[in-house]
Amino acid sequence: MSPTLRKTRQSYREQSSPTKSENDKGQDRKIVKKKGKGREVKRRKSSNGNQAEPAQYVAGPEGYKKIRNTGSPPQFNDWCTIVVDDIGKKIYMYGGNRPNDDDYIPTNDFHVLDVDTMQWKKLSPKFWFNAHRPFEPVGKSKPLPSLFKPACTALHFKETNYIFMFGGYDIDEEVVSSRLIAIDLDDVQWWYVEIEGDDVCGRINASMASLGIASYSIDEYTDHRWKWMSGRRDRDYDAHVPPLGFGGRALSVHGGRKILLTPGRLYNKAPVNMQETNSIFFHTTNFTFRAAADTVGTFPGNLRWYWSYSNEGSQSSVQSLLTTSPLPRKRKRLSSSPREAAVSPHVMIAGWVDYGKPEGDHIMPELWQYFLPPEEKIQCFNIRSTIWSTDLNLHSFAAVSNGMIFLGFEGDSDGDTVPDNATYNVCVEVDMSVISKNATEVKIEEE
C-alpha cells in the first residue's frame, strides 16, 4: 500500500481525504450511550419463508424503534461501504478497516441485514471465482478482494441478484483500481467484468469524483458485452460545475433519467456544505449538468459525513410541507400541522452534525428530505435531540423501501476509542409519518 493511504485514517465518526497523511482522530467526539432493557418482538418470517431468530427492541420516543439485531452482526469497521437492495429489502455491508488497526488495512468483510427480520448474516468469505463462462468449470474458491471505498450498487438482472463494485484501493495489488467486479449473490461467485476499450482512471469512492478528478465515464451493457461509451470515458465535467470535493454521493433519480451529484469535503477536516450551486443534476441522455438553483429551503451544512438515498415516491405514508405560493429562501416554522399527501420523488439525507454547547461536544445525526424537481424544496426533521436521548452510537444510515434505519453499536467505549469487539448490533428505525410533524424548511438552532 502506498504511504499516503496507509497513514490516512477516517475516524469512525468522520471521513477524511485519502491523500491526507495525518490522523484526524482528534476531531472525534464522544457519544454517550446507556443500555436499556430488551423486549422480545414476535417471531417474523424472512423473505424466503424461513423462521428467523427474533429481534429485540426497547421502547423509545414516539416514532423511534430501537432494535437489537440478531444473527451474525458485522464488526464495527471504519470506512465500510453500504449497499441497499430495495427490491429484496436487504442492506449489504462490505469492507472497511478495523477501528484500532494502526496500519489501516481494508478488509473484505461482507454481511447482509434482512430488513424483514432485522437479522444479520455473514456471507461466504470465499466466493467461487471464474470468468463467468457458463459452459466451463466454476473454478476455485477465492476471497473477494480487499478494497478501500469501492463504488457499489445492487442490480437485479435476468432473475439473478448481483452486487457490482468499481474501483477502490486494492490492498493486494497496491493500486487504485479501475476494475469492475460482479458478485452473483445467488450462485455465490464473483469475477472481473471484461470491458471493451481502454481502461479509465482508477477511483476511490467513485460514486463521486475524488482525488481531484472532475470527470465521468459511462459503461454500457449492450449485445451481451460491456464497453465504455464512445466519447464518455474520463470526460471532464462542464466548466460551470463547481468543485465537488471528495466523499460525496451520486444518486439515480427520475427513473434513471438523471443523476443527482451532491458534494463531499473540499479538504481534510473541512465540513460538507451542500448548497444550491453544488447540488447538481446530470442528465443521462443529454449529458448536461444543471444546479438545483430553484430549491426552496436550507440545504444541509456543517456535516461531518452523510448518507443519501433516492425514493421515487411510490408510497404515501410520508407527510410533506404545505405547498403555497412562492416563498422566500428561508422561512420560520409552519404554524399549522403538515398535511399527509402522496409522496413526490425525493431524496433522504442523513448527516452527522455537531451537537451541544459550547463548541459542539458531541456529534449527532440529522435527517433531511429533498423533494426533486419540479417540486424542488428541502425540509429538515430536527431529530438530533431525540436521537441524543436514545444514548446509542449511531454511525450509518440506510433507506430501504420506505423505512429509515440508523445503524450503530451498543456498548461501552472509552472516550473516542471503539472496543475491538464492537459490532453493528443495534439500529433505530424512524417512523416518517411521526417525525414529519416537526419538519421545517430551516433547521432549528440548538437551545
Side-chain angles (χ1 to χ4, degrees), residues 258-271:
K258 295 180 181 179
I259 294 175
L260 174 61
L261 305 175
T262 50
R265 63 184 78 246
L266 296 178
Y267 55 89
N268 275 334
K269 298 187 179 180

Side-chain angles (χ1 to χ4, degrees), residues 44-47 50 52-55 70 114-119:
R44 295 177 290 181
K45 289 188 177 181
S46 62
S47 56
N50 295 330
E53 180 184 352
T70 56
D114 186 326
V115 176
D116 283 337
T117 63
M118 286 300 175
Q119 183 180 44

Side-chain angles (χ1 to χ4, degrees), residues 132-188:
H132 203 237
R133 296 183 176 91
F135 301 108
E136 295 185 6
V138 170
K140 61 181 180 180
S141 180
K142 185 177 180 179
L144 286 169
S146 297
L147 302 171
F148 174 85
K149 293 301 288 184
C152 296
T153 187
L155 176 67
H156 297 267
F157 182 66
K158 293 186 176 180
E159 299 183 353
T160 304
N161 300 307
Y162 296 94
I163 284 181
F164 279 80
M165 295 183 180
F166 176 80
Y169 187 89
D170 192 317
I171 182 64
D172 296 320
E173 299 187 3
E174 297 188 353
V175 66
V176 178
S177 176
S178 61
R179 285 178 161 181
L180 178 65
I181 294 174
I183 303 173
D184 184 333
L185 298 168
D186 298 328
D187 290 337
V188 195

Side-chain angles (χ1 to χ4, degrees), residues 389-409:
S389 70
T390 65
D391 294 330
L392 298 173
N393 290 289
L394 303 176
H395 301 276
S396 301
F397 173 77
V400 186
S401 297
N402 214 38
M404 306 293 149
I405 301 172
F406 289 94
L407 304 165
F409 73 92

